[in-house]
């Protein structure tokens, strides 16, 4: 793995980052406007969020090359809040959401993203690709209506989308002077403007003209009294908590995805703090908040954007579009931007997952499909949580079935059970079934050399087993405990002898078991 220092700002890289940033900025406009509509707020609220999120995370984020902005995931979380309480409560929620994300970064909670298995990652990527694809369907509606195009207008729209996709696909085979997505947008826009083709354009969605974002303290009754503070907090905290979780999950999964492409790792806690800082600032400047955007991040990386300059450029261009270049940008046909996003979908979807699912265990294939489906029909955070839970349960079940024992008798007449496999909540039943207190000799030794005592269920199982042998007037001892198992049993009060164990299995120290500590069997 390498770090971002492997991409120095050479003149060639600077040119690539500037052009890539311009491409991303063009693709950000309809996305930000669309997600603002989803959240039920003014389009400028989405555009300001895209600018501020993009700029701050580009400056201090954990992965140069990632793009952040107003996202559908956050818009869906906040839409009911806006409908019930108004946009000022949204701004307050975004600030609190950012603070929660900063705390997550400070306390390094982002490291738990390591618990996301690879099948969940594949499902996340595939689900998000489908979501991006479905999001483009709204561009095929007649402007100002809920009716989809038909006849000649639809054919023209599809032809222009196809033209954009063809340019994006074939241009890199001839030259890399200009990013292919930018070339696709420019070619299609040129054709539409030159021939006066009547197709939906950015300006048909909404005007993007505006001024600089202004500092604004959310107008919520939060600091008038303790009662008003608690009442406001009760309203915004649930939305802030869910929004913070959704934003971090999507951002950290995108961070991993971009890291795989660029050959980088690390930056998890830094990205959490960056996302949080960006959301706090966005909330105070009239933005709807957001997180990392996998579609725009893929456009940037695939266009050659590698350093922080690309993200900064995208944000600055977006602000310029809002302040001075809105008449020009509003002339860009939506078909060009749809074509670029369709190429992002094709490049993002893990097509090899169809082949992978035939080779991996069935439960992993099921998780890939499950996370994909839940991402499409619910949201990313729910999909990831469901995927992790199913994977964890499957892992626990597999390990529960692995426990078994080899037995032999010592010259002194003691029976030794050599436990194979971990002893935890899922395997305790199988563990207890291996023993026969009624017929075993007066001394039984349980050898944990190839096992681990993992949790309270395991402790209860050991105590229950010892109680059964006590009831038969027989003695049971534990052998070959590793240090962590020794500590667990000692803290529970099970070990009758306090002695250094043999974690390296050099000396077979035996321990008697004290029963009645956890009340097993009662």
């Amino acid at each position: 793995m390498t770090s971002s220092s492997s991409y120095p700002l050479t003149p060639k890289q600077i040119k690539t980052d500037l052009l890539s940033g311009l491409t991303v900025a063009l693709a950000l406009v309809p996305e930000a406007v669309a997600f603002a509509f989803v959240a039920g707020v003014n389009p400028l609220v989405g555009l300001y969020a895209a600018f501020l999120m993009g700029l701050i995370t580009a400056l201090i984020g954990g992965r140069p090359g990632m793009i952040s902005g107003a996202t559908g995931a956050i818009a869906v979380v906040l839409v009911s809040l806006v409908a019930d309480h108004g946009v000022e409560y949204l701004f307050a929620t975004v600030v609190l959401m950012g603070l929660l994300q900063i705390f997550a970064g400070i306390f390094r909670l982002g490291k738990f993203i390591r618990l996301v298995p690879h099948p969940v990652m594949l499902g996340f990527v595939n689900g998000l690709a489908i979501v991006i694809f479905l999001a483009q369907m709204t561009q095929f509606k007649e402007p100002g209506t809920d009716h989809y195009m038909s006849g000649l207008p639809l054919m023209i729209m599809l032809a222009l989308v196809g033209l954009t996709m063809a340019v994006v696909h074939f241009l890199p085979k001839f030259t890399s002077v200009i990013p292919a997505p930018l070339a696709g947008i420019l070619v299609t826009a040129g054709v539409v403007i030159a021939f006066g083709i009547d197709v939906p354009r950015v300006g048909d969605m909404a005007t993007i003209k505006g001024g600089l974002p202004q500092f604004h303290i959310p107008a919520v009754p939060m600091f008038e009294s303790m009662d008003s503070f608690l009442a406001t907090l009760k309203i915004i905290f649930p939305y802030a908590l869910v929004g913070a979780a959704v934003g971090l999950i999507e951002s950290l999964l995108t961070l991993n995805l971009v890291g795989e492409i660029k050959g980088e790792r690390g930056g998890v806690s830094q990205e959490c703090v960056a996302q949080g800082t960006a959301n706090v600032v966005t909330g105070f400047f009239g933005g709807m908040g957001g997180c990392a955007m996998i579609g725009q991040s893929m456009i940037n990386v695939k266009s050659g954007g590698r350093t922080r300059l690309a993200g900064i450029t995208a944000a600055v261009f977006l602000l310029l579009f809002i302040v001075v270049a809105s008449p020009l940008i509003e002339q860009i046909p939506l078909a060009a931007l749809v074509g670029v996003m369709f190429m992002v979908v094709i490049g993002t979807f893990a097509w090899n997952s169809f082949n992978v699912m035939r080779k991996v265990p069935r439960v992993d294939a099921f998780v890939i499909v499950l996370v994909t489906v839940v991402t499409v029909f619910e949201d990313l955070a729910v999909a990831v949580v469901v995927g992790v839970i199913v994977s964890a349960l499957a892992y626990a079940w597999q390990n529960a079935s692995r426990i078994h024992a080899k037995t032999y008798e010592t010259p002194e007449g003691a029976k030794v059970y050599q436990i194979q496999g971990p002893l935890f909540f899922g395997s305790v039943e199988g563990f207890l079934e291996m023993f026969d207190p009624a017929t075993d000799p007066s001394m039984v030794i349980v050898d944990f050399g190839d096992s681990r005592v993992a949790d309270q269920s395991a402790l209860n199982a050991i105590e229950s087993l010892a109680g059964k042998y006590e009831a038969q007037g027989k003695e049971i001892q534990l052998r070959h405990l590793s240090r962590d198992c020794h500590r667990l049993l000692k803290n529970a009060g099970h070990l009758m002898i306090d002695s250094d164990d043999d974690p390296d299995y050099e000396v077979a120290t035996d321990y008697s078991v004290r029963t009645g500590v956890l009340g097993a069997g009662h």
Side-chain angles (χ1 to χ4, degrees):
M1 290 287 186
T2 58
S3 67
S4 59
S5 60
S6 56
Y7 300 104
L9 277 175
T10 61
K12 181 179 179 181
Q13 187 62 52
I14 289 174
K15 184 201 75 172
T16 301
D17 283 345
L18 290 174
L19 292 176
S20 180
L22 175 59
T23 308
V24 170
L26 292 171
L28 277 170
V29 173
E31 296 276 308
V33 171
F35 294 144
F37 286 149
V38 169
V41 296
N42 188 286
L44 282 175
V45 175
L47 290 167
Y48 286 151
F51 161 65
L52 291 167
M53 292 294 303
L55 179 63
I56 294 171
T57 56
L59 287 169
I60 62 174
R63 180 82 70 238
M66 272 179 61
I67 304 296
S68 295
T71 59
I74 300 299
V76 169
V77 170
L78 300 178
V79 60
S80 60
L81 173 68
V82 176
D84 294 339
H85 300 282
V87 71
E88 294 295 332
Y89 278 84
L90 178 143
F91 298 147
T93 301
V94 170
V95 172
L96 180 56
M97 182 174 78
L99 292 174
L100 293 174
Q101 291 175 329
I102 291 173
F103 290 144
I106 292 173
F107 292 105
R108 300 186 178 278
L109 300 182
K111 63 186 178 183
F112 289 109
I113 200 69
R114 299 172 187 169
L115 297 178
V116 178
H118 193 259
V120 177
M121 280 288 291
L122 280 179
F124 151 75
V125 169
N126 290 347
L128 227 51
I130 295 172
V131 169
I132 294 171
F133 174 80
L134 294 176
Q136 307 312 308
M137 295 299 101
T138 58
Q139 315 300 354
F140 288 90
K141 292 181 178 179
E142 296 175 1
T145 72
D146 283 331
H147 303 295
Y148 284 97
M149 299 176 179
S150 60
L152 184 60
L154 177 61
M155 299 301 295
I156 294 175
M157 182 78 170
L158 291 174
L160 293 173
V161 170
L163 172 63
T164 306
M165 295 176 69
V167 173
V168 174
H169 177 72
F170 290 108
L171 183 67
K173 301 179 186 298
F174 301 100
T175 180
S176 60
V177 172
I178 183 172
L182 178 58
I185 293 171
L186 294 177
V187 168
T188 303
V191 169
V192 168
I193 294 172
F195 291 94
I197 301 175
D198 184 19
V199 292
R201 309 188 186 194
V202 171
D204 294 324
M205 294 184 68
T207 179
I208 65 168
K209 183 175 179 57
L212 295 172
Q214 302 294 315
F215 181 79
H216 168 72
I217 296 177
V220 294
M222 199 163 187
F223 300 105
E224 297 176 359
S225 66
M226 180 56 70
D227 289 341
S228 65
F229 175 83
L230 293 176
T232 304
L233 192 63
K234 184 179 179 180
I235 294 172
I236 68 175
F237 183 77
Y239 292 99
L241 184 62
V242 174
V246 169
L248 287 184
I249 290 173
E250 184 159 352
S251 297
L252 295 181
L253 291 179
T254 303
L255 179 127
N256 286 345
L257 189 62
V258 173
E260 288 181 8
I261 296 173
K262 295 179 62 183
E264 296 176 0
R265 62 184 177 186
V268 172
S269 297
Q270 183 178 345
E271 185 63 31
C272 291
V273 173
Q275 291 290 334
T277 303
N279 274 309
V280 170
V281 174
T282 299
F284 281 121
F285 279 87
M288 61 179 280
C291 60
M293 307 182 75
I294 186 171
Q296 276 66 24
S297 296
M298 290 300 101
I299 290 176
N300 184 47
V301 175
K302 298 291 177 64
S303 298
R306 289 292 184 271
T307 73
R308 297 189 185 278
L309 179 61
I312 294 170
T313 301
V316 172
F317 270 123
L318 184 60
L319 183 62
L320 291 176
F321 295 164
I322 297 170
V323 177
V324 298
S326 57
L328 181 61
I329 300 305
E330 288 173 4
Q331 295 305 309
I332 294 176
L334 290 174
L337 301 172
V338 171
V340 169
M341 297 310 295
F342 277 175
M343 293 304 293
V344 169
V345 168
I346 294 171
T348 300
F349 195 91
W351 300 99
N352 67 322
S353 59
F354 293 110
N355 186 44
V356 167
M357 286 191 292
R358 294 200 304 266
K359 299 178 179 179
V360 298
R362 289 181 180 178
V363 67
D364 288 340
F366 173 74
V367 168
I368 293 173
V369 175
L370 177 66
V371 174
T372 300
V373 172
V374 177
T375 299
V376 173
F377 289 99
E378 191 61 37
D379 62 58
L380 172 65
V382 173
V384 171
V385 170
V386 168
V388 170
I389 290 174
V390 171
S391 298
L393 291 175
Y395 176 79
W397 177 261
Q398 291 166 359
N399 277 276
S401 62
R402 288 175 183 166
I403 195 164
H404 63 281
K406 298 177 181 179
T407 61
Y408 65 90
E409 290 195 5
T410 66
E412 294 79 15
K415 186 173 182 179
V416 179
Y417 286 85
Q418 287 185 314
I419 308 301
Q420 314 283 317
L423 179 57
F424 68 111
F425 68 89
S427 61
V428 293
E429 186 175 347
F431 170 77
L432 292 172
E433 290 175 352
M434 295 186 297
F435 297 89
D436 189 1
T439 60
D440 279 347
S442 59
M443 171 61 73
V444 171
I445 298 172
V446 185
D447 190 335
F448 286 96
D450 296 317
S451 181
R452 290 293 182 273
V453 181
D455 57 14
Q456 182 184 344
S457 297
L459 297 177
N460 273 311
I462 292 173
E463 183 177 332
S464 175
L465 181 66
K468 291 178 181 179
Y469 279 100
E470 271 189 8
Q472 297 287 333
K474 300 174 182 179
E475 184 180 353
I476 184 172
Q477 292 184 341
L478 311 182
R479 174 179 291 180
H480 285 156
L481 292 171
S482 62
R483 287 197 184 279
D484 56 337
C485 301
H486 176 280
R487 190 179 305 112
L488 192 64
L489 286 160
K490 179 183 175 184
N491 290 342
H494 279 323
L495 296 187
M496 302 257 318
I497 304 171
D498 186 12
S499 172
D500 287 337
D501 201 3
D502 50 330
D504 299 321
Y505 311 128
E506 294 173 354
V507 182
T509 305
D510 296 333
Y511 301 94
S512 297
V513 181
R514 178 182 291 117
T515 58
V517 176
L518 300 178
H522 298 288

